[in-house]
Amino acid sequence: MSELKSFLYLAATFGAAIIISKVIRAQLTTWKLRHVPTVGPKGFFSSYYGGVHFIKHAYEMAQEGYNKYQGRAFKVRMPDQWLVVITGPDMINDFRKAGDDYLSFDDAIATTIQTDYTIGKETRLNNYHLGVVRTSLTRNISHRFGDVRDEIVNAFSEEIPIKNDWVTVPALSTVMRIVCRTTNRLFVDLPLCRESDYMRLNIEFTVDVFKAARIINLFPDLLKPIAGNLLTPISKAVRQARRHLEPMIQERLDQDDQYGKNWAGRPNDLLSWLLDENPQGDLRTVRDLTLRILNINMAAIHTTSMAFTHILYYLSIQPDEVITVLREEVEASLNEHGWSKLAMGQLRRMDSFMKECVRSAGGHALSIDREVLKDFTFSDGTTIPAGSRVAIASFALHHDERYYEDPYEFKPFRFADMRAQEGESIKHQMITPNPEYMFFGAGRHAWWVSYQSVRQQCLKYRIFTSSPGRFFAVNELKTLIAHTLLTYDVKLEHDSKTVPKPFCFGRTMMPNRTAKVMFRKRSTYN
Ligand SMILES: *[C@@H]1O[C@H](CO)[C@@H](O)[C@H](O)[C@H]1NC(C)=O
Ligand SMILES: *[C@@H]1O[C@H](CO)[C@@H](O)[C@H](O)[C@H]1NC(C)=O
């Protein structure tokens, strides 16, 4: 009995000590950041209330700080910690150029999407699969273009029947199924890419990862492990995915063991590309390979679906003149090059249109986080102490009239015109990050696709949203849009002429999740 008592006493003391040290640490960070002006509630208690305020008002707070402190830093209180927001081209350039040992992308991603609980600690500790996306997958885009295009044609005709009457479909869920199926034509090929349960589980995992991350980040650090272990979607997803992937993975491992890597008929797919990297030990198991295939799926589905849904909403409200310009450009390029990566690369007006959709939607209030590992001093002299988090006010930046004339106006060919005027062919392309445009992330970690958000990545490109996937994503997006333009007329339900309101939660934004889009066979389609 007395042993139990002393155990409880010890446990209570230990628990109290942890809590006190956390509170002291939080206060110390606040104190170290006292030279950075605050937007929103401040002070000891209100800073906790501030976290709640932030969830509702992140966009206004980011805009207020952006307007008031232009060229400087400010901070806002999030539910779990302070976020330092930097503004102006000089600070953003310092930010882009800073080494990973100062401003770490990986560490920030680990917290923004709570990787250990959402996508697996093992994929954070060794992320060789991102290198595979950057190299093998990117190299094979052109080679496998025909397959992916074939799947796009099939998936569209099943999801959105080509009829003379209007067909109404919910945009986001339909887009997610089309994207899942077409990317998996490249990842795992037929017949699995069309298997409905396989598609369902990959989409569910994608949705669950971001949902779990949103919720876990509402908890203070102390409670995150508890919330994380309750909400983790990993074991369920792996269990379900193994049902489909295990026979294929086991067979490939056996064949590779027996014949090496050059046996006749070895598929040219994601699994072979992963095994080409010689994963060893725990990394060369059905479970680990399943988890990596799930992760690559999640990143690809998330980024491409979010971007395509935004774009589809804008496409649905364009006047005929804009649609005609886009269609003519696609037809001219296809006449010259046929359906190919090369043809998609020629679509400058489409590239501009896509980029303008994403700019106009604006993205997250605050994103592109970096964790400060060593005290970092910006060129204006502001020092941000180790242990803080730094981010950029993406939405405000994308609506800054110093960079964009009439920022709240949608100008489909804004970037194409800038390209033509300045004679700079690369700078204004969708995949090129610059200080005024952060869709694909900044600097060396410019994203995979990430959509916006997420965020995510060039290893050095070590992150999943890292730029490895962005070439694939942009190419796929163009093919999806080209197919849509040549096959259908599109409009919004109820003939609405405004883009459906996006879903915002805290500082994050995604396209409206329920709005419907109507499709009809294009008059000249045959
Ligand atoms: C596809 O990727 C594999 C693995 O990196 C590579 O060996 C192969 O050459 C690529 N195929 C093409 C056509 O580039
Ligand atoms: C999504 O769009 C629909 C239709 O336009 C609208 O009724 C709904 O409120 C929107 N959802 C959100 C979260 O704004």
Side-chain angles (χ1 to χ4, degrees), residues 151-163:
E151 203 58 40
I152 287 176
V153 173
N154 270 283
F156 265 93
S157 65
E158 274 175 37
E159 294 287 340
I160 312 169
I162 307 167
K163 293 193 174 155

Side-chain angles (χ1 to χ4, degrees), residues 420-474:
Q421 267 172 26
E422 294 178 27
E424 286 178 74
S425 60
I426 306 236
K427 183 176 170 210
H428 299 295
Q429 271 184 23
M430 178 121 178
I431 47 172
T432 314
N434 65 46
E436 309 90 61
Y437 190 83
M438 292 289 169
F439 178 69
F440 284 108
R444 285 166 301 123
H445 294 296
W447 181 55
W448 149 248
V449 226
S450 226
Y451 126 102
Q452 46 203 41
S453 102
V454 187
R455 322 159 183 281
Q456 301 94 16
Q457 338 21 352
C458 293
L459 194 37
K460 297 253 197 104
Y461 305 72
R462 281 171 318 211
I463 327 286
F464 77 92
T465 41
S466 108
S467 52
R470 70 188 205 235
F471 294 97
F472 173 67
V474 167

Side-chain angles (χ1 to χ4, degrees), residues 299-403:
I301 295 171
H302 180 76
T303 48
T304 313
S305 304
M306 296 300 150
F308 187 38
T309 307
H310 274 306
I311 295 167
L312 196 55
Y313 288 147
Y314 281 93
L315 204 60
S316 313
I317 59 166
Q318 294 311 308
D320 292 346
E321 306 89 79
V322 173
I323 299 292
T324 304
V325 169
L326 290 170
R327 279 177 174 160
E328 283 175 357
E329 186 186 55
V330 172
E331 281 162 346
S333 186
L334 291 178
N335 281 340
E336 195 174 339
H337 306 288
W339 281 99
S340 60
K341 180 175 173 236
L342 181 64
M344 298 301 109
Q346 307 294 315
L347 304 176
R348 291 177 159 225
R349 293 208 173 77
M350 164 129 39
D351 192 275
S352 169
F353 176 77
M354 291 159 63
K355 189 167 172 176
E356 178 70 351
C357 290
V358 173
R359 181 202 70 82
S360 197
H364 301 307
L366 301 160
S367 61
I368 329 219
D369 292 23
R370 297 286 187 271
E371 203 78 40
V372 184
L373 300 186
K374 285 188 219 160
D375 291 6
F376 184 77
T377 304
F378 285 88
S379 43
D380 74 339
T382 307
T383 299
I384 305 301
S388 331
R389 182 90 72 85
V390 182
I392 289 172
S394 310
F395 187 95
L397 180 72
H398 291 153
H399 291 88
D400 186 332
E401 61 190 5
R402 276 165 300 184
Y403 307 126

Side-chain angles (χ1 to χ4, degrees), residues 135-137 139-140 143 268 273 276-277:
T135 55
S136 306
L137 188 135
R139 273 188 224 134
N140 278 280
H143 181 60
N268 183 23
W273 303 332
D276 286 345
E277 298 300 309

